[in-house]
Amino acid sequence: MKAAVLHAANDIRIEEYADPVAGPGEVVIRTKAAGLCSKTVRMMLGGGLPARLPLIPGPELAGEISTVGAGVRGFFPEEPVAVYSGGLLGVTVNGACAELVRVPKEIVAADGLVKLLNEEISFEDAVMAEPLACTFASARSNRMKEGQTVLIVGGGSVGLLHLKTAKWSGCKVLVADSNATRLALAGQMGAAHLINTSSFRLYDEVMQLTGGRGADVVIISVLIPELVADCLRLTAQGGVCSLSSISPENEAGVDKTLLAERQITLTGSCAATAADFRKCLQLIKEEAIIVSDMISHRFPLDDLREAVEKSKNQELIRGIVTFGDMFSLSF
């Protein structure tokens, strides 16, 4: 099979690779769509390289079952499925950026293999369930609820998914970014207020929009540790400040007195459960949450390096690696 193989930082090669074999309790998927999340792009560029290399990256996977291992019940070849990564795909085992992917027994046993048969959902949309589920897990840890004001700092792909989750939760959402194109997209997706931080002071704008109270939930979705201290000041009394994206290389300054006096919860989230994944897949299928407007670029596997460069240079919102026909069977 053909696969994108990460050998070292910024060393991703498209090469022939041995076809995976489904062991007991495992399934092999013929890939139709693989998502390119920002964390995977950072990893391919050298940020947080996995302990085991070479490795095929990619945690976001949708496709058709190729083969089924002994002991697997209820799944058959050619059935379209979406796959929950379980924190394994593209991290400790080979991931989605290949024509064939072995799904470990731990994922299968966790009900992380979800059929798309007779579901009106494309493989492209299905592959977005994984990153959307991560924002649902974040909303749970943030104690997000209807009627709250949520500030999202950073309007990239992760920030926009947080926006969709907060809107679905019934919140009023403010989005801050220095990129006018991203802000315009956030407005199209339902943000109540847009703050261009290249033109306005974030603190002044948020205080004005919240009557000096601050936001109930502040989600930091950019890799700038220095923003943590500023965002704590934007968090309402008893509110939650959440680290969604943060650079592991630098420390973030935290005012412990401010945390205590204003009873602010500082938290973080980076992974979802299989139940989150299934819920988000259902919401996408029902069009309760639209994700197709997130996908700005599509690439064949041979052009993966171009996709990484465009992502690094902020020239795309969300990229998808495509493999052949991109729809499930029910349209």
Side-chain angles (χ1 to χ4, degrees):
M1 70 172 183
K2 184 186 292 186
V5 184
L6 180 65
H7 289 266
N10 206 24
D11 183 7
I12 185 84
R13 308 175 197 173
I14 309 301
E15 57 191 42
E16 289 299 315
Y17 202 89
D19 288 1
V21 176
E26 299 179 337
V27 171
V28 171
I29 304 299
R30 186 170 302 279
T31 308
K32 291 294 185 178
L36 286 178
C37 69
S38 55
K39 185 176 181 180
T40 297
V41 170
R42 289 197 302 274
M43 181 184 78
M44 288 190 282
L45 293 172
L49 283 171
R52 173 201 154 209
L53 289 175
L55 180 76
I56 299 172
E60 301 167 8
L61 170 65
E64 295 176 348
I65 293 176
S66 175
T67 56
V68 176
V72 175
R73 300 288 181 263
F75 292 97
F76 303 94
E78 299 187 8
E79 287 185 326
V81 293
V83 182
Y84 165 66
S85 76
L88 300 176
L89 293 183
V91 180
T92 62
V93 299
N94 284 333
C97 292
E99 292 176 327
L100 295 168
V101 181
R102 180 182 63 86
V103 179
K105 61 184 179 181
E106 292 86 354
I107 293 176
V108 178
D111 292 330
L113 205 61
V114 184
K115 293 184 182 184
L116 305 179
L117 193 62
N118 297 323
E119 302 281 351
E120 293 185 354
I121 182 171
S122 69
F123 288 117
E124 286 189 358
D125 280 3
V127 86
M128 294 297 295
E130 176 85 14
L132 182 63
C134 291
T135 67
F136 264 67
S138 176
R140 183 169 56 249
S141 67
N142 297 340
R143 306 192 298 271
M144 190 181 292
K145 60 185 179 181
E146 185 177 359
Q148 289 184 322
T149 296
V150 175
L151 169 64
I152 299 169
V153 181
S157 64
V158 176
L160 293 174
L161 286 169
H162 279 294
L163 164 62
K164 289 177 178 291
T165 295
K167 286 288 295 179
W168 181 83
S169 301
C171 299
K172 174 184 176 182
V173 187
L174 322 178
V175 176
D177 201 292
S178 61
N179 186 308
T181 301
R182 288 179 170 184
L183 286 175
L185 190 53
Q188 295 170 16
M189 293 179 181
H193 296 283
L194 308 172
I195 304 171
N196 191 325
T197 55
S198 65
S199 304
F200 300 95
R201 289 188 69 239
L202 179 59
Y203 180 85
D204 293 344
E205 292 297 304
V206 172
M207 288 300 127
Q208 180 182 352
L209 291 168
T210 61
R213 180 175 173 273
D216 300 295
V217 177
V218 178
I219 299 172
I220 304 172
S221 188
V222 288
L223 295 171
I224 305 176
E226 296 80 10
L227 275 177
V228 175
D230 293 334
C231 288
L232 286 174
R233 296 172 59 232
L234 299 172
T235 308
Q237 179 84 17
V240 177
C241 184
S242 174
L243 309 180
S244 174
S245 297
I246 203 72
S247 172
E249 289 81 17
N250 299 298
E251 291 188 3
V254 175
D255 186 338
K256 300 180 182 65
T257 300
L258 180 64
L259 280 176
E261 290 181 347
R262 299 184 63 180
Q263 298 178 301
I264 295 170
T265 299
L266 179 62
T267 185
S269 180
C270 67
T273 66
D276 293 325
F277 177 82
R278 292 192 297 272
K279 180 181 181 67
C280 286
L281 195 60
Q282 184 64 23
L283 289 172
I284 294 170
K285 179 249 179 185
E286 295 171 352
E287 298 186 345
I289 295 181
I290 303 297
V291 294
S292 56
D293 55 357
M294 292 283 304
I295 303 169
S296 60
H297 291 70
R298 295 158 180 83
F299 302 89
L301 184 63
D302 286 336
D303 293 344
L304 181 62
R305 286 183 292 267
E306 177 189 352
V308 171
E309 283 300 308
K310 284 186 176 295
S311 179
K312 181 182 72 173
N313 297 329
Q314 298 186 6
E315 296 174 8
L316 54 76
I317 298 298
R318 191 77 177 188
I320 297 288
V321 180
T322 61
F323 300 75
D325 180 21
M326 292 305 301
F327 293 92
S328 62
L329 306 181
S330 62
F331 280 90

